[in-house]
Amino acid sequence: MDQDDLQPIVDDLAHRLRRSVAIDDPSIRLLAASRHFGDEDAVRVRSVLNRTVERELTDQLFAHGIAQWVRPGRIVMSPGTGVLPRLCAPVRCNDLLLGFLWLIDEHNTLSEDDVAAAEDAATRAGVLLYRRLLVRERARSRQEAILRELVGSDPTLRAQAVEDLRAEQVLDDAGYLQVMAVQSAMPGAPKQQAVAIEAAVEEGARAAPGNSALMVVHRSRGWLLLAPPDQPARDQTAAVAERMRARFNELAGADLAVGFGGVVTALDTVIDSYRQALLAVRAARLLPGFGGVARWGELGPYDLLLRVPADDVLNGVHLPEMQQLLRADRHGVLLETLRAYLDHAGDARGAADELCIHRATLYHRLQRIEQATGCDLRRGDDRLTLHLGLKLHLLATAYRSESEFDR
């Protein structure tokens, strides 16, 4: 059902009361608005032009408790906001909050009959929005089922999913395809985070380049299939990731990890981007160096290490050289020194500057590392062994922390 179905409800109420009327969705994004009768304020005008208002204002509105209202009420904002007093009628159906109907009421002159008319309009809008929700949910469930088959292990089902998507013509304009995987950065996320994940992925779908994206959500994780007509620019996809992370943090008070797969051009290769995105989101979630967002092709050695089963990674930490170093380094000083030195490709000055120590101190520590491990840092194979051991140690530490949290 199209959003224009709301327009007669808005226009009828506005004509009857001679006041401008607007209906927003639960996130205060404009769905329908009447013409103005000279009663509009700057916020209403911005809402009509931009289809939304500033986050600071929406936070203040929700601070009034409007998300829990079941009957109309009056909102009076602080003078500095520039928001005129309003009547807010919650739009509900079957106990679901589907939006808000707004009437500007600067001088508190709405009668009881006016409020009743607004409540009746909100009820009728709720029925329409609920029907639309059911239609959208059915369509999304169908698309999610197809997308799961598109990235499944059965080649026959993958081929059928490609044909189904082509038949439904939902991606006809797609020139490029890219998977974005998301997961709560908090292992063992509580069940209520499922709502935040869904809202975050929906936010990403709305912000997707070309406004073309399909989504799949399951509990603490989900993914988006971006399908723009033109190859998405890095800053565009980065903006989508930040929108999702901000929305998740707003609702769940936690971080959201995002991983990008590579860009492909055919439906039957989406599985490649999907698998790459899963590796990238694992890196973003487990490894602090990625800052919560990781991209395929930029994972460095973790491109390979993250494919190794966790048990094998944990066993790999038992490299004799690493075991000897850990025994000699109870405070982690030598471990951090070795990391800085190898990450700087053996550049003593760069490593010393990063560690904020004198080069003489660095050389002393490197000598202790060689004595503890039996390695010679001038030899390439020894450097490789220790560098690989360090990466395995970091990854194993992340796996252990995740396992302990889940318990």
Side-chain angles (χ1 to χ4, degrees):
M1 187 168 293
D2 193 76
Q3 287 185 354
D4 288 342
D5 294 324
L6 291 174
Q7 201 61 47
I9 296 175
V10 166
D11 290 339
D12 288 347
L13 182 63
H15 179 74
R16 176 176 174 180
L17 302 184
R18 309 302 295 173
R19 295 172 185 261
S20 59
V21 179
I23 294 179
D24 291 335
D25 72 6
S27 297
I28 319 294
R29 296 182 180 90
L30 186 68
L31 296 176
S34 72
R35 72 181 182 89
H36 294 149
F37 291 82
D39 56 345
E40 69 276 5
D41 57 12
V43 174
R44 171 62 57 81
V45 173
R46 290 201 301 274
S47 174
V48 172
L49 292 175
N50 303 324
R51 313 302 290 181
T52 188
V53 295
E54 297 83 355
R55 177 67 60 82
E56 294 80 6
L57 287 178
T58 61
D59 289 345
Q60 292 181 48
L61 288 170
F62 285 123
H64 285 78
I66 59 175
Q68 287 74 47
W69 287 9
V70 295
R71 299 292 304 276
R74 199 162 185 267
I75 295 286
V76 180
M77 302 282 279
S78 57
T81 61
V83 181
L84 294 177
R86 282 162 162 71
L87 180 80
C88 173
V91 177
R92 292 182 174 272
C93 186
N94 284 354
D95 295 326
L96 287 176
L97 177 65
L98 300 168
F100 304 97
L101 182 147
W102 303 94
L103 281 169
I104 295 177
D105 185 27
E106 181 178 5
H107 302 294
N108 196 17
T109 55
L110 287 172
S111 67
E112 291 185 5
D113 288 343
D114 295 338
V115 174
E119 186 171 15
D120 177 68
T123 299
R124 288 186 284 127
V127 172
L128 289 177
L129 290 174
Y130 186 71
R131 289 175 183 166
R132 187 191 306 163
L133 177 65
L134 293 179
V135 171
R136 188 171 69 243
E137 286 299 314
R138 281 195 292 268
R140 197 174 89 180
S141 295
R142 166 67 178 158
Q143 289 176 359
E144 282 195 1
I146 296 174
L147 288 177
R148 287 192 176 96
E149 292 177 351
L150 186 67
V151 298
S153 58
D154 189 326
T156 303
L157 291 179
R158 289 205 303 271
Q160 184 59 55
V162 170
E163 293 304 315
D164 289 343
L165 285 172
R166 287 172 178 163
E168 297 197 6
Q169 300 180 328
V170 292
L171 297 175
D172 278 358
D173 295 331
Y176 298 86
L177 301 158
Q178 184 178 24
V179 172
M180 292 178 63
V182 301
Q183 187 171 357
S184 170
M186 181 183 297
K191 292 181 179 179
Q192 56 264 36
Q193 285 197 3
V195 176
I197 284 282
E198 184 169 0
V201 177
E202 287 179 343
E203 183 79 16
R206 281 191 291 267
N211 296 316
S212 181
L214 301 179
M215 57 181 280
V216 176
V217 177
H218 179 69
R219 296 185 179 176
S220 65
R221 66 191 69 196
W223 56 281
L224 270 176
L225 177 58
L226 305 180
D230 303 310
Q231 184 161 4
R234 185 186 181 94
D235 59 347
Q236 289 179 309
T237 55
V240 175
E242 287 310 306
R243 287 271 294 269
M244 288 195 292
R245 298 187 76 208
R247 183 66 171 148
F248 184 77
N249 185 267
E250 174 188 5
L251 296 175
D255 287 333
L256 183 69
V258 180
F260 289 89
V263 176
V264 297
T265 57
L267 283 171
D268 56 3
T269 58
V270 166
I271 187 172
D272 297 330
S273 183
Y274 173 76
R275 289 170 175 170
Q276 295 162 0
L278 292 187
L279 288 176
V281 79
R282 189 183 300 175
R285 186 168 59 88
L286 293 177
L287 303 169
F290 291 100
V293 179
R295 292 176 179 268
W296 174 256
E298 301 176 11
L299 304 184
Y302 294 110
D303 176 359
L304 294 175
L305 296 180
L306 286 167
R307 304 185 199 204
V308 178
D311 288 343
D312 291 342
V313 170
L314 293 170
N315 291 333
V317 175
H318 299 298
L319 289 171
E321 295 85 354
M322 286 302 298
Q323 287 294 96
Q324 293 160 4
L325 179 59
L326 291 171
R327 280 196 295 268
D329 186 32
R330 289 194 293 177
H331 301 292
V333 174
L334 298 182
L335 206 67
E336 181 63 12
T337 300
L338 180 62
R339 180 207 59 76
Y341 181 70
L342 294 177
D343 283 352
H344 282 273
D347 177 13
R349 175 178 293 178
D353 288 346
E354 180 187 335
L355 296 169
C356 299
I357 59 176
H358 194 277
R359 264 185 286 176
T361 303
L362 176 72
Y363 290 132
H364 175 69
R365 291 182 185 177
L366 294 177
Q367 187 177 29
R368 289 176 58 195
I369 291 169
E370 290 181 324
Q371 291 171 348
T373 62
C375 292
D376 184 346
L377 288 173
R378 293 170 298 180
R379 295 184 67 247
D381 283 349
D382 286 358
R383 284 197 189 190
L384 179 60
T385 297
L386 291 176
H387 212 172
L388 182 61
L390 283 172
K391 300 300 182 185
L392 284 169
H393 176 73
L394 179 60
L395 191 54
T397 300
Y399 284 157
R400 288 196 193 98
S401 297
E402 185 177 41
S403 177
E404 290 171 4
F405 193 101
D406 287 339
R407 288 201 297 270

